[in-house]
Amino acid sequence: MFMKQIARTTVFAVAVVLVLPAFADQLERGQELYREKKYTEAEGTLRELLKKDPENAQAAYYLGLTLLEQEKFKEAEGLFQKANDNTPTPDQVKIGLARAYLGQEQLDKAKAALDEAEKANADNAEVYYYRGMLGAHRKDYKAAVDSLERAIKIEPEHAYAHYHAGLAYNILKRPDKMVEHFQAFLKLAPNAPEAAKVRTVLRSAR
């Protein structure tokens, strides 16, 4: 439950990238398919690109994201490692790597990857969102809400940070904070798959 989330478009900047026009078009197509949640098609497009251009860090990164959405965590891990070896801007890659480790329940490795991501960019809300996920995996819900609140402070409209904060506060028996975050989640993502369940919980809390 804690791993469910909307596929969020992330900005992946590489300082210097030399890409042939045909490769650039194929990369753009793979990214577009990923954003449209057409993960099988995106996977095929990006795999084909990597066969032709094995050192394309952005293609490896987006293929890793696509595989995460399909819960192919071990292969995603390898792709993020590959992307990390070829880019000087590692925070998004390290976050992807942390997600792959979380999916495999390798929690110490996930923490190490998030520590490196935070060193690279301490203003990235996703670092603290996934620290929240790490806390939830460890059943350390106090640590989870502390991290999720920090993510929300950086990015107040991070719907799923509110959602997971609500879940964690419910476990911590803080109904006031649970209601606050669940209401924020519904305002930001009223049509999310979890919305009906959240509405039921809020009705029972009144």
Side-chain angles (χ1 to χ4, degrees):
M1 177 169 61
F2 279 97
M3 291 303 295
K4 292 182 68 178
Q5 59 179 23
I6 293 174
R8 297 169 56 81
T9 301
T10 52
V11 179
F12 179 50
V14 178
V16 179
V17 181
L18 300 176
V19 183
L20 294 175
F23 292 172
D25 289 345
Q26 193 166 1
L27 175 62
E28 185 176 344
R29 177 60 178 156
Q31 292 169 330
E32 180 182 355
L33 289 167
Y34 167 75
R35 289 190 289 269
E36 292 174 354
K37 302 183 183 180
K38 297 177 180 178
Y39 301 124
T40 301
E41 294 176 56
E43 179 182 348
T45 298
L46 293 165
R47 284 191 189 282
E48 183 181 345
L49 174 55
L50 280 171
K51 285 181 182 178
K52 295 182 289 190
D53 185 13
E55 301 305 313
N56 191 317
Q58 292 191 67
Y61 174 71
Y62 274 94
L63 179 55
L65 292 180
T66 298
L67 294 176
L68 285 178
E69 297 299 333
Q70 299 175 80
E71 299 188 355
K72 299 177 181 179
F73 299 116
K74 183 62 179 176
E75 187 177 3
E77 174 191 341
L79 285 157
F80 290 126
Q81 294 282 16
K82 179 182 179 68
N84 187 63
D85 291 341
N86 290 284
T87 175
T89 55
D91 61 312
Q92 293 289 358
V93 177
K94 291 296 185 183
I95 291 168
L97 191 57
R99 291 176 61 188
Y101 287 138
L102 284 171
Q104 298 174 78
E105 294 293 331
Q106 295 181 25
L107 304 186
D108 289 342
K109 288 184 176 181
K111 180 183 182 302
L114 289 170
D115 288 346
E116 291 185 39
E118 185 174 3
K119 287 179 184 177
N121 183 2
D123 295 322
N124 188 335
E126 294 295 283
V127 172
Y128 308 104
Y129 174 70
Y130 286 105
R131 283 198 188 280
M133 299 300 94
L134 176 62
H137 273 263
R138 287 177 164 167
K139 302 188 185 305
D140 185 348
Y141 298 105
K142 176 61 168 61
V145 296
D146 287 348
S147 293
L148 291 165
E149 292 282 14
R150 187 166 179 181
I152 291 164
K153 184 175 182 179
I154 296 170
E155 188 179 335
E157 295 188 352
H158 194 310
Y160 274 83
H162 285 289
Y163 172 69
H164 288 293
L167 291 176
Y169 276 122
N170 186 40
I171 292 170
L172 292 170
K173 301 188 184 304
R174 287 291 309 275
D176 55 330
K177 299 295 290 183
M178 177 198 73
V179 168
E180 174 190 333
H181 285 287
F182 275 170
Q183 287 177 338
F185 171 70
L186 290 177
K187 182 177 180 180
L188 293 165
N191 299 316
E194 299 84 358
K197 181 179 71 174
V198 168
R199 290 187 181 98
T200 299
V201 172
L202 287 176
R203 281 196 295 270
S204 67
R206 290 169 184 161

